[in-house]
Amino acid sequence: MERVEKLFDALWQDFTTRLCPSAAQVHDLLTEEEPLQNDHIALRTFNLPGVSLDVLAAPFIAIGYKPCGTYHFEQKKLYAEHFEHPNPAAPKVFISELLVGQCSAQLQNTVRALVKQIPDGAMKDASFLYNGRLWELDFATYEMLAAESEYAGWVAAHGYGANHFTVSVNQLEQFTEVAAVNSLLRHNGFSINEAGGEVKGNPEVMLEQSSTMADRVDVSFTDGVRTIPGGFYEFAKRYPQADGELYPGFVEASADKIFESTNM
């Protein structure tokens, strides 16, 4: 677990510094006697050679993770997989990729040009997962991409890093319901993603989720610094399956709405 912890510590440091500074406040708000358990993280990319989902998955597979589920989001033109470690204490990993070939020619050409800027060997070391953007980008190009695909704009602007971390509500003692966590966060000034309802999912699908809306963070573009949506914090409650084990997967309808936590 040492390698797992080292990688997730680096991802958390980048997440709370660059993408979602408010996560540290939420973390402190919910922390009880035991450290918070991270249910999963999510990563975003493009399905292009050299940066595809498989490339992002490789560092996790190298430390014991295995693919456990596939997901399709046709309207958003996304494909995703989730990965689990043999040690149940290790967070799950949810990796999605934009199916660039299904997008407009302008978006395809633009994203391919960005990816071509990545220095040789830059994605060979696992540190690329939390090293941010590996290409130059101006604000107008970001706006053009985001107008067609919020997801494309997000990846273009931020590069690589955790899109979100997720608190496991199952381990909390003070709260047993996702809705109660939402109420605490609202009381403390945080905005909750209401797409598809504040709580996505239900006991029937064995998973309930909610999330804050993304922090607005400063990003350096070639023509200046602009403030755009960054990362967010998610909360998940899993229900037991027939065998008594907690449901380990994800629900496409809920995940589809969680993606919208970064909408402008």
Side-chain angles (χ1 to χ4, degrees):
M1 277 292 286
E2 184 178 346
R3 290 194 298 167
V4 173
E5 290 172 359
K6 183 178 179 181
L7 177 55
F8 278 87
D9 283 348
L11 284 159
W12 174 255
Q13 179 64 31
D14 173 58
F15 179 66
T16 55
T17 302
R18 181 173 65 93
L19 293 165
C20 188
S22 75
Q25 299 169 255
V26 176
H27 187 273
D28 290 345
L29 200 59
L30 292 173
T31 297
E32 300 169 333
E33 290 185 7
E34 296 295 322
L36 286 185
Q37 181 179 328
N38 178 23
D39 181 88
H40 71 273
I41 65 165
L43 301 165
R44 296 179 172 187
T45 192
F46 302 115
N47 76 325
L48 294 176
V51 300
S52 63
L53 185 157
D54 291 344
V55 175
L56 272 64
F60 294 100
I61 289 172
I63 56 176
Y65 278 82
K66 299 186 185 316
C68 291
T70 62
Y71 310 89
H72 300 268
F73 305 92
E74 293 183 9
Q75 188 174 0
K76 290 180 171 63
K77 301 179 174 66
L78 304 176
Y79 169 75
E81 295 184 15
H82 99 263
F83 300 80
E84 296 177 28
H85 194 274
N87 187 326
K92 298 172 183 60
V93 178
F94 186 92
I95 305 176
S96 56
E97 61 183 5
L98 179 68
L99 304 177
V100 177
Q102 294 183 14
C103 300
S104 70
Q106 183 180 29
L107 185 146
Q108 290 186 48
N109 292 336
T110 301
V111 169
R112 291 179 190 280
L114 295 178
V115 170
K116 282 183 179 178
Q117 295 180 43
I118 298 176
D120 291 341
M123 300 185 72
K124 297 296 184 185
D125 187 273
S127 63
F128 86 85
L129 290 168
Y130 48 84
N131 273 349
R133 201 171 74 220
L134 300 171
W135 46 77
E136 295 296 322
L137 177 73
D138 62 73
F139 188 67
T141 300
Y142 160 74
E143 287 190 304
M144 179 273 291
L145 292 172
E148 178 174 343
S149 165
E150 179 279 326
Y151 184 106
W154 195 96
V155 179
H158 296 293
Y160 297 103
N163 171 257
H164 64 268
F165 273 67
T166 308
V167 173
S168 170
V169 175
N170 295 80
Q171 59 122 173
L172 298 178
E173 293 184 4
Q174 185 180 359
F175 301 100
T176 58
E177 300 297 334
V178 173
V181 174
N182 289 350
S183 295
L184 174 71
L185 295 173
R186 280 196 182 282
H187 180 73
N188 283 273
F190 294 94
S191 297
I192 303 298
N193 174 356
E194 297 182 3
E198 282 195 10
V199 178
K200 296 104 172 73
N202 52 56
E204 284 69 41
V205 296
M206 294 183 287
L207 176 63
E208 291 180 343
Q209 298 165 269
S210 74
S211 65
T212 62
M213 289 302 291
D215 280 11
R216 294 188 66 80
V217 295
D218 290 342
V219 172
S220 294
F221 294 92
T222 55
D223 49 350
V225 175
R226 301 296 183 101
T227 303
I228 64 172
F232 59 92
Y233 218 161
E234 186 183 328
F235 315 94
K237 179 178 179 178
R238 296 181 180 277
Y239 287 84
Q241 304 174 109
D243 61 4
E245 296 294 318
L246 292 180
Y247 174 68
F250 295 85
V251 178
E252 286 181 1
S254 300
D256 183 80
K257 299 305 181 185
I258 291 288
F259 276 118
E260 297 179 21
S261 298
T262 53
N263 283 5
M264 299 179 72

